[in-house]
Each structure stands twice: as C-alpha cells, then as structure tokens.
C-alpha cells in the first residue's frame, strides 16, 4: 500500500505544480482513501495507484471537462 501511495504522489506532483503544503495535504487525503480501498479488499498495487490518482484529480477538478475548458462545441 505504501508503494502505491508513493507512486501516486510522485506522479501527481509531476502533473500538478503545487506547494509542499498542498502536496502534504493531498498525500493525507489519498492515504486515507487508499487505506479504505485496501481494507475493503483491493490489494493490487497498480489498481490502487490508478484509483488514487483518479481520486486526487477529481478533488482538484482536473477530471471535469468544463473546468478543463471543454465547451462541447
């Protein structure tokens, strides 16, 4: 689980230009989320990584096509 969290944060830090405090906050949130998935039975490190990255991107709004500038035209 720790390896997945480390991989999530390495990738997320490359994608997002954020402060150390924001990165620490994101790590806390994703750690709690991944722990929940792990305790629910998900043991695959790669799936945990993908789910964690998706979770963080949903939190910051980068998965929202409207916020990303897509207008549908």
């Amino acid at each position: 689980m720790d390896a997945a969290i480390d991989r999530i944060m390495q990738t997320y830090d490359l994608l997002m230009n954020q402060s150390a405090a924001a990165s620490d906050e994101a790590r806390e949130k994703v750690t709690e989320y991944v722990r929940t998935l792990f305790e629910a039975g998900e043991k695959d490190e790669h799936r945990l990584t993908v789910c964690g990255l998706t979770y963080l991107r949903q939190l910051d709004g980068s998965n929202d096509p409207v916020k990303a500038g897509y207008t549908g035209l």
Side-chain angles (χ1 to χ4, degrees):
M1 184 178 85
D2 291 332
I5 292 168
D6 289 340
R7 181 175 290 159
I8 291 165
M9 291 311 300
Q10 285 176 336
T11 305
Y12 190 68
D13 287 339
L14 288 173
L15 292 171
M16 307 301 291
N17 187 13
Q18 58 186 2
S19 68
S23 183
D24 290 343
E25 182 180 342
R27 179 178 281 276
E28 288 176 24
K29 289 179 181 179
V30 80
T31 298
E32 182 178 327
Y33 179 73
V34 170
R35 182 174 291 125
T36 301
L37 294 176
F38 189 82
E39 289 173 356
E42 183 57 68
K43 307 296 186 210
D44 186 311
E45 182 180 320
H46 298 292
R47 286 181 57 96
L48 290 171
T49 301
V50 171
C51 290
L53 282 169
T54 302
Y55 173 75
L56 287 177
R57 294 194 65 206
Q58 285 176 339
L59 285 180
D60 70 22
S62 59
N63 273 358
D64 186 353
V66 174
K67 287 183 180 179
Y70 180 71
T71 63
L73 299 176

Coordinates of all heavy atoms in Angstrom, one line a residue:
M1 N 0.8 -1.2 0.0 CA 0.0 0.0 0.0 C 0.9 1.3 0.0 O 0.6 2.2 -0.7 CB -0.9 0.0 1.2 CG -1.9 1.1 1.3 SD -3.0 1.1 2.6 CE -2.0 1.9 3.9
D2 N 1.9 1.2 0.8 CA 2.8 2.4 0.8 C 3.5 2.7 -0.5 O 3.7 3.9 -0.9 CB 3.9 2.2 1.9 CG 3.3 2.3 3.3 OD1 2.2 2.9 3.5 OD2 3.9 1.7 4.2
A3 N 3.8 1.6 -1.2 CA 4.4 1.8 -2.6 C 3.5 2.5 -3.5 O 3.8 3.3 -4.3 CB 4.9 0.5 -3.1
A4 N 2.2 2.1 -3.4 CA 1.2 2.7 -4.3 C 1.0 4.2 -4.0 O 0.9 5.0 -4.9 CB -0.2 2.0 -4.1
I5 N 1.0 4.5 -2.7 CA 0.9 5.9 -2.3 C 2.1 6.7 -2.7 O 1.9 7.9 -3.2 CB 0.7 6.0 -0.7 CG1 -0.7 5.4 -0.4 CG2 0.8 7.5 -0.3 CD1 -0.9 5.2 1.1
D6 N 3.3 6.2 -2.6 CA 4.5 6.9 -3.1 C 4.4 7.1 -4.6 O 4.7 8.2 -5.1 CB 5.7 6.1 -2.7 CG 6.0 6.1 -1.3 OD1 5.5 7.0 -0.6 OD2 6.8 5.3 -0.8
R7 N 4.0 6.1 -5.4 CA 3.8 6.2 -6.8 C 2.8 7.3 -7.2 O 2.9 8.1 -8.1 CB 3.5 4.9 -7.4 CG 3.4 5.0 -9.0 CD 3.2 3.7 -9.6 NE 4.4 2.9 -9.5 CZ 4.5 1.6 -9.6 NH1 3.4 0.9 -9.8 NH2 5.6 1.0 -9.5
I8 N 1.7 7.2 -6.4 CA 0.6 8.2 -6.7 C 1.1 9.6 -6.5 O 0.9 10.5 -7.4 CB -0.6 8.0 -5.7 CG1 -1.3 6.7 -6.0 CG2 -1.6 9.2 -5.7 CD1 -2.3 6.2 -4.9
M9 N 1.8 9.9 -5.4 CA 2.3 11.2 -5.1 C 3.4 11.6 -6.1 O 3.5 12.8 -6.5 CB 2.8 11.3 -3.7 CG 1.6 11.2 -2.7 SD 0.2 12.3 -3.1 CE 1.0 13.9 -3.0
Q10 N 4.3 10.7 -6.5 CA 5.3 11.1 -7.5 C 4.7 11.5 -8.8 O 5.0 12.5 -9.4 CB 6.2 9.9 -7.8 CG 7.2 9.6 -6.7 CD 8.0 8.3 -6.9 OE1 7.6 7.5 -7.7 NE2 9.2 8.2 -6.3
T11 N 3.7 10.8 -9.2 CA 3.0 11.1 -10.5 C 2.2 12.4 -10.4 O 2.3 13.2 -11.3 CB 2.1 9.9 -10.9 OG1 2.9 8.7 -11.0 CG2 1.4 10.2 -12.3
Y12 N 1.5 12.5 -9.3 CA 0.6 13.7 -9.1 C 1.5 15.0 -9.0 O 1.1 16.0 -9.5 CB -0.2 13.5 -7.8 CG -1.3 14.5 -7.7 CD1 -2.4 14.6 -8.5 CD2 -1.2 15.5 -6.6 CE1 -3.4 15.6 -8.4 CE2 -2.2 16.4 -6.5 CZ -3.3 16.5 -7.3 OH -4.3 17.4 -7.2
D13 N 2.6 14.9 -8.3 CA 3.5 16.0 -8.2 C 4.1 16.4 -9.5 O 4.3 17.6 -9.8 CB 4.6 15.8 -7.2 CG 4.1 15.8 -5.7 OD1 3.1 16.4 -5.5 OD2 4.8 15.2 -4.9
L14 N 4.2 15.5 -10.4 CA 4.7 15.8 -11.8 C 3.6 16.5 -12.6 O 3.9 17.4 -13.4 CB 5.2 14.5 -12.5 CG 6.5 13.9 -12.1 CD1 6.7 12.6 -12.8 CD2 7.6 14.8 -12.3
L15 N 2.4 16.1 -12.4 CA 1.2 16.6 -13.1 C 0.8 18.0 -12.6 O 0.4 18.9 -13.4 CB 0.0 15.7 -13.0 CG 0.1 14.4 -13.7 CD1 -1.1 13.5 -13.3 CD2 0.1 14.5 -15.2
M16 N 1.0 18.2 -11.3 CA 0.5 19.5 -10.7 C 1.6 20.3 -10.2 O 2.5 19.7 -9.6 CB -0.5 19.2 -9.6 CG -1.6 18.2 -10.0 SD -2.7 18.9 -11.3 CE -3.5 20.2 -10.4
N17 N 1.6 21.6 -10.4 CA 2.6 22.4 -9.8 C 2.0 23.1 -8.6 O 1.3 24.0 -8.6 CB 2.9 23.5 -10.9 CG 4.1 24.4 -10.4 OD1 4.8 24.0 -9.5 ND2 4.3 25.5 -11.1
Q18 N 2.3 22.4 -7.4 CA 1.7 22.9 -6.2 C 2.8 23.0 -5.1 O 3.9 22.5 -5.2 CB 0.6 21.9 -5.8 CG 1.1 20.5 -5.6 CD -0.1 19.6 -5.3 OE1 -1.2 20.0 -5.3 NE2 0.2 18.3 -5.1
S19 N 2.4 23.7 -4.1 CA 3.3 23.9 -2.9 C 3.5 22.6 -2.1 O 2.7 21.7 -2.3 CB 2.7 25.0 -2.0 OG 1.6 24.5 -1.4
A20 N 4.5 22.7 -1.3 CA 4.8 21.5 -0.4 C 3.6 21.2 0.5 O 3.2 20.1 0.8 CB 6.1 21.7 0.4
A21 N 3.0 22.3 1.0 CA 1.9 22.2 1.9 C 0.7 21.5 1.2 O 0.0 20.6 1.8 CB 1.5 23.5 2.5
A22 N 0.4 21.9 0.0 CA -0.7 21.3 -0.8 C -0.4 19.9 -1.1 O -1.3 19.0 -1.1 CB -0.9 22.1 -2.1
S23 N 0.9 19.6 -1.4 CA 1.3 18.2 -1.6 C 1.1 17.3 -0.4 O 0.6 16.2 -0.5 CB 2.7 18.1 -2.1 OG 3.1 16.8 -2.4
D24 N 1.4 17.9 0.8 CA 1.3 17.1 2.0 C -0.2 16.9 2.3 O -0.6 15.8 2.7 CB 1.9 17.9 3.2 CG 3.4 17.9 3.1 OD1 4.0 17.1 2.4 OD2 4.0 18.8 3.8
E25 N -1.1 17.9 2.0 CA -2.5 17.7 2.2 C -3.1 16.6 1.3 O -3.9 15.8 1.7 CB -3.2 19.1 2.0 CG -4.7 19.0 2.2 CD -5.4 20.3 2.0 OE1 -4.7 21.4 2.0 OE2 -6.6 20.3 1.8
A26 N -2.6 16.7 0.0 CA -3.1 15.7 -0.9 C -2.6 14.3 -0.5 O -3.4 13.3 -0.6 CB -2.5 16.0 -2.3
R27 N -1.4 14.2 0.0 CA -0.9 12.9 0.5 C -1.8 12.3 1.6 O -2.1 11.1 1.7 CB 0.5 12.9 1.0 CG 1.1 11.6 1.5 CD 2.5 11.7 1.9 NE 3.4 11.6 0.7 CZ 3.8 10.5 0.2 NH1 3.5 9.3 0.6 NH2 4.7 10.5 -0.9
E28 N -2.2 13.2 2.6 CA -3.0 12.8 3.7 C -4.4 12.3 3.1 O -4.9 11.2 3.6 CB -3.3 13.9 4.6 CG -2.1 14.3 5.5 CD -2.3 15.5 6.3 OE1 -3.5 15.8 6.6 OE2 -1.3 16.2 6.7
K29 N -5.0 13.0 2.2 CA -6.3 12.6 1.7 C -6.2 11.3 0.9 O -7.0 10.4 1.1 CB -6.8 13.7 0.8 CG -7.3 14.9 1.5 CD -7.8 16.0 0.6 CE -8.2 17.2 1.4 NZ -8.7 18.3 0.5
V30 N -5.2 11.2 0.1 CA -5.1 9.9 -0.8 C -4.7 8.7 0.1 O -5.1 7.6 -0.2 CB -4.2 10.1 -2.0 CG1 -2.7 10.0 -1.6 CG2 -4.5 9.2 -3.1
T31 N -3.9 9.0 1.2 CA -3.6 7.9 2.0 C -4.8 7.3 2.7 O -5.0 6.1 2.8 CB -2.6 8.3 3.1 OG1 -1.4 8.7 2.5 CG2 -2.2 7.2 4.1
E32 N -5.7 8.2 3.2 CA -6.9 7.7 3.8 C -7.8 7.0 2.8 O -8.4 5.9 3.1 CB -7.7 8.9 4.3 CG -9.0 8.6 5.1 CD -9.7 9.8 5.6 OE1 -9.0 10.7 6.0 OE2 -10.9 9.8 5.6
Y33 N -7.9 7.5 1.6 CA -8.7 6.9 0.5 C -8.1 5.5 0.1 O -8.9 4.5 0.1 CB -8.7 7.8 -0.7 CG -9.5 7.2 -1.9 CD1 -10.9 7.2 -1.8 CD2 -8.9 6.8 -3.0 CE1 -11.6 6.7 -2.9 CE2 -9.6 6.3 -4.1 CZ -11.0 6.2 -4.0 OH -11.7 5.7 -5.0
V34 N -6.8 5.4 -0.1 CA -6.2 4.1 -0.5 C -6.3 3.1 0.7 O -6.5 1.9 0.4 CB -4.8 4.4 -0.9 CG1 -4.0 3.0 -1.1 CG2 -4.7 5.1 -2.2
R35 N -6.2 3.6 1.9 CA -6.3 2.7 3.0 C -7.7 2.1 3.1 O -7.9 0.9 3.3 CB -6.0 3.4 4.3 CG -6.1 2.5 5.6 CD -5.7 3.2 6.8 NE -4.3 3.4 6.8 CZ -3.7 4.6 7.0 NH1 -4.4 5.7 7.2 NH2 -2.4 4.7 6.9
T36 N -8.7 2.9 2.8 CA -10.1 2.4 2.7 C -10.3 1.3 1.6 O -10.9 0.3 1.9 CB -11.1 3.6 2.4 OG1 -11.0 4.5 3.5 CG2 -12.5 3.1 2.4
L37 N -9.7 1.6 0.5 CA -9.8 0.6 -0.6 C -9.0 -0.7 -0.2 O -9.5 -1.8 -0.5 CB -9.1 1.2 -1.9 CG -9.9 2.3 -2.6 CD1 -9.0 2.8 -3.8 CD2 -11.2 1.9 -3.0
F38 N -7.9 -0.5 0.4 CA -7.1 -1.7 0.8 C -7.8 -2.5 1.8 O -7.9 -3.8 1.7 CB -5.7 -1.2 1.4 CG -4.7 -2.3 1.6 CD1 -4.0 -2.8 0.6 CD2 -4.6 -2.8 2.9 CE1 -3.0 -3.8 0.8 CE2 -3.6 -3.8 3.2 CZ -2.9 -4.3 2.1
E39 N -8.4 -1.9 2.8 CA -9.1 -2.6 3.8 C -10.4 -3.2 3.3 O -10.9 -4.2 3.8 CB -9.5 -1.6 5.0 CG -8.3 -1.2 5.8 CD -8.5 -0.2 6.8 OE1 -9.7 0.3 6.9 OE2 -7.6 0.1 7.6
A40 N -10.9 -2.7 2.2 CA -12.1 -3.3 1.6 C -11.7 -4.5 0.7 O -12.6 -5.1 0.2 CB -12.8 -2.2 0.7
G41 N -10.4 -4.7 0.5 CA -10.0 -5.9 -0.2 C -9.2 -5.7 -1.4 O -8.7 -6.7 -2.0
E42 N -9.0 -4.5 -1.9 CA -8.2 -4.2 -3.1 C -6.7 -4.3 -2.7 O -6.2 -3.5 -2.0 CB -8.5 -2.9 -3.7 CG -7.8 -2.6 -5.0 CD -8.0 -3.6 -6.0 OE1 -9.2 -3.7 -6.5 OE2 -7.1 -4.3 -6.3
K43 N -6.0 -5.3 -3.2 CA -4.6 -5.5 -2.9 C -3.7 -5.2 -4.1 O -2.5 -5.1 -3.9 CB -4.4 -6.9 -2.4 CG -5.3 -7.4 -1.3 CD -5.1 -6.6 0.0 CE -5.9 -7.2 1.1 NZ -6.3 -6.2 2.1
D44 N -4.2 -5.1 -5.3 CA -3.4 -4.8 -6.5 C -2.8 -3.4 -6.4 O -3.6 -2.4 -6.5 CB -4.3 -5.0 -7.7 CG -3.5 -4.9 -9.0 OD1 -2.7 -4.0 -9.2 OD2 -3.6 -5.8 -9.9
E45 N -1.5 -3.3 -6.4 CA -0.8 -2.0 -6.3 C -1.1 -1.1 -7.5 O -1.3 0.1 -7.3 CB 0.7 -2.3 -6.2 CG 1.5 -1.0 -6.0 CD 3.0 -1.3 -5.9 OE1 3.3 -2.3 -5.2 OE2 3.8 -0.5 -6.5
H46 N -1.2 -1.7 -8.6 CA -1.5 -0.9 -9.8 C -2.9 -0.3 -9.8 O -3.1 0.9 -10.1 CB -1.2 -1.7 -11.1 CG 0.2 -2.2 -11.3 ND1 1.2 -1.3 -11.5 CD2 0.7 -3.4 -11.2 CE1 2.3 -2.0 -11.5 NE2 2.0 -3.3 -11.3
R47 N -3.9 -1.1 -9.4 CA -5.2 -0.6 -9.3 C -5.3 0.5 -8.2 O -6.0 1.5 -8.4 CB -6.2 -1.7 -9.0 CG -6.4 -2.6 -10.3 CD -7.4 -3.7 -10.0 NE -8.7 -3.2 -9.5 CZ -9.7 -3.0 -10.3 NH1 -9.7 -3.2 -11.5 NH2 -10.9 -2.5 -9.8
L48 N -4.7 0.3 -7.1 CA -4.7 1.3 -6.0 C -4.1 2.6 -6.5 O -4.6 3.7 -6.2 CB -3.9 0.8 -4.8 CG -4.5 -0.4 -4.0 CD1 -3.6 -0.9 -3.0 CD2 -5.8 0.1 -3.4
T49 N -3.0 2.5 -7.3 CA -2.4 3.7 -7.9 C -3.3 4.5 -8.8 O -3.5 5.7 -8.7 CB -1.1 3.3 -8.6 OG1 -0.2 2.6 -7.7 CG2 -0.4 4.5 -9.2
V50 N -3.9 3.7 -9.7 CA -4.9 4.4 -10.7 C -6.0 5.0 -9.9 O -6.4 6.1 -10.2 CB -5.3 3.4 -11.7 CG1 -6.5 4.0 -12.6 CG2 -4.2 3.0 -12.6
C51 N -6.6 4.3 -9.0 CA -7.7 4.8 -8.2 C -7.3 6.0 -7.4 O -8.1 7.0 -7.3 CB -8.3 3.7 -7.3 SG -9.1 2.4 -8.1
G52 N -6.1 6.0 -6.8 CA -5.6 7.1 -6.0 C -5.4 8.4 -6.9 O -5.8 9.5 -6.5
L53 N -4.8 8.2 -8.1 CA -4.7 9.3 -9.0 C -6.0 9.9 -9.4 O -6.2 11.1 -9.5 CB -3.8 8.9 -10.2 CG -2.3 8.8 -9.9 CD1 -1.6 8.1 -11.1 CD2 -1.7 10.2 -9.7
T54 N -6.9 9.0 -9.8 CA -8.2 9.5 -10.2 C -8.9 10.2 -9.1 O -9.5 11.3 -9.3 CB -9.1 8.2 -10.6 OG1 -8.5 7.5 -11.6 CG2 -10.5 8.7 -11.0
Y55 N -8.8 9.8 -7.8 CA -9.4 10.4 -6.7 C -8.8 11.8 -6.5 O -9.6 12.8 -6.4 CB -9.1 9.6 -5.4 CG -9.5 10.3 -4.1 CD1 -10.8 10.4 -3.8 CD2 -8.5 10.8 -3.3 CE1 -11.2 11.0 -2.6 CE2 -8.9 11.4 -2.1 CZ -10.2 11.5 -1.7 OH -10.6 12.1 -0.6
L56 N -7.5 12.0 -6.6 CA -6.9 13.3 -6.4 C -7.3 14.2 -7.6 O -7.5 15.4 -7.3 CB -5.3 13.2 -6.4 CG -4.8 12.6 -5.1 CD1 -3.3 12.5 -5.2 CD2 -5.2 13.5 -3.9
R57 N -7.4 13.7 -8.8 CA -7.7 14.6 -9.9 C -9.2 15.0 -9.8 O -9.6 16.1 -10.2 CB -7.5 13.9 -11.2 CG -5.9 13.7 -11.4 CD -5.5 13.3 -12.7 NE -5.7 14.4 -13.6 CZ -5.9 14.2 -14.9 NH1 -5.9 13.0 -15.4 NH2 -6.2 15.3 -15.7
Q58 N -10.0 14.2 -9.2 CA -11.4 14.6 -9.0 C -11.5 15.6 -7.9 O -12.3 16.6 -8.1 CB -12.3 13.4 -8.6 CG -12.6 12.4 -9.7 CD -13.3 11.2 -9.3 OE1 -13.3 10.8 -8.1 NE2 -14.0 10.6 -10.3
L59 N -10.7 15.5 -6.9 CA -10.7 16.5 -5.9 C -10.3 17.9 -6.4 O -10.8 18.9 -6.0 CB -9.7 16.1 -4.7 CG -10.2 15.0 -3.8 CD1 -9.1 14.8 -2.7 CD2 -11.5 15.4 -3.1
D60 N -9.3 17.9 -7.3 CA -8.8 19.2 -7.7 C -9.5 19.7 -9.0 O -9.3 20.8 -9.4 CB -7.3 19.2 -8.0 CG -6.8 18.4 -9.2 OD1 -7.6 18.1 -10.1 OD2 -5.7 18.0 -9.2
G61 N -10.5 18.9 -9.5 CA -11.3 19.3 -10.6 C -10.7 19.1 -12.0 O -11.3 19.5 -13.0
S62 N -9.5 18.5 -12.1 CA -8.9 18.3 -13.4 C -9.5 17.2 -14.2 O -9.2 17.1 -15.4 CB -7.4 18.1 -13.2 OG -7.1 16.9 -12.5
N63 N -10.4 16.4 -13.6 CA -11.2 15.5 -14.4 C -12.5 16.1 -15.0 O -13.2 15.4 -15.7 CB -11.5 14.2 -13.6 CG -10.5 13.2 -13.6 OD1 -9.4 13.4 -14.2 ND2 -10.7 12.1 -12.8
D64 N -12.8 17.3 -14.6 CA -14.0 17.9 -15.0 C -13.8 18.6 -16.4 O -13.0 19.5 -16.4 CB -14.5 18.9 -14.0 CG -15.8 19.6 -14.3 OD1 -16.4 19.3 -15.4 OD2 -16.3 20.3 -13.4
P65 N -14.4 18.1 -17.4 CA -14.2 18.7 -18.7 C -14.5 20.2 -18.8 O -13.9 20.9 -19.6 CB -15.0 17.8 -19.7 CG -15.9 17.0 -18.8 CD -15.4 17.0 -17.5
V66 N -15.5 20.6 -18.1 CA -15.9 22.0 -18.1 C -14.9 22.9 -17.5 O -14.5 23.9 -18.1 CB -17.3 22.2 -17.4 CG1 -17.6 23.7 -17.3 CG2 -18.4 21.5 -18.1
K67 N -14.3 22.4 -16.3 CA -13.2 23.2 -15.7 C -12.0 23.1 -16.5 O -11.2 24.0 -16.5 CB -13.0 22.6 -14.3 CG -14.0 23.0 -13.3 CD -13.6 22.4 -11.9 CE -14.7 22.8 -10.9 NZ -14.4 22.3 -9.6
A68 N -11.8 22.1 -17.3 CA -10.6 22.0 -18.2 C -10.8 22.8 -19.5 O -9.9 22.9 -20.3 CB -10.4 20.5 -18.6
G69 N -11.9 23.4 -19.7 CA -12.1 24.3 -20.8 C -12.9 23.7 -21.9 O -13.1 24.4 -23.0
Y70 N -13.4 22.5 -21.8 CA -14.3 21.9 -22.8 C -15.6 22.5 -22.8 O -16.3 22.5 -21.8 CB -14.3 20.4 -22.7 CG -15.2 19.7 -23.7 CD1 -14.7 19.6 -25.0 CD2 -16.4 19.2 -23.4 CE1 -15.5 19.0 -26.0 CE2 -17.2 18.6 -24.4 CZ -16.7 18.5 -25.7 OH -17.5 17.9 -26.6
T71 N -16.1 23.0 -24.0 CA -17.4 23.7 -24.0 C -18.4 22.8 -24.8 O -19.6 23.2 -24.8 CB -17.3 25.0 -24.7 OG1 -16.9 24.8 -26.1 CG2 -16.4 26.0 -24.0
G72 N -18.0 21.7 -25.4 CA -18.9 20.9 -26.1 C -19.1 21.4 -27.6 O -19.9 20.8 -28.3
L73 N -18.4 22.4 -28.0 CA -18.5 22.9 -29.3 C -17.5 22.4 -30.2 O -16.4 22.2 -29.9 CB -18.5 24.4 -29.3 CG -19.6 25.1 -28.5 CD1 -19.3 26.6 -28.5 CD2 -20.9 24.8 -29.1

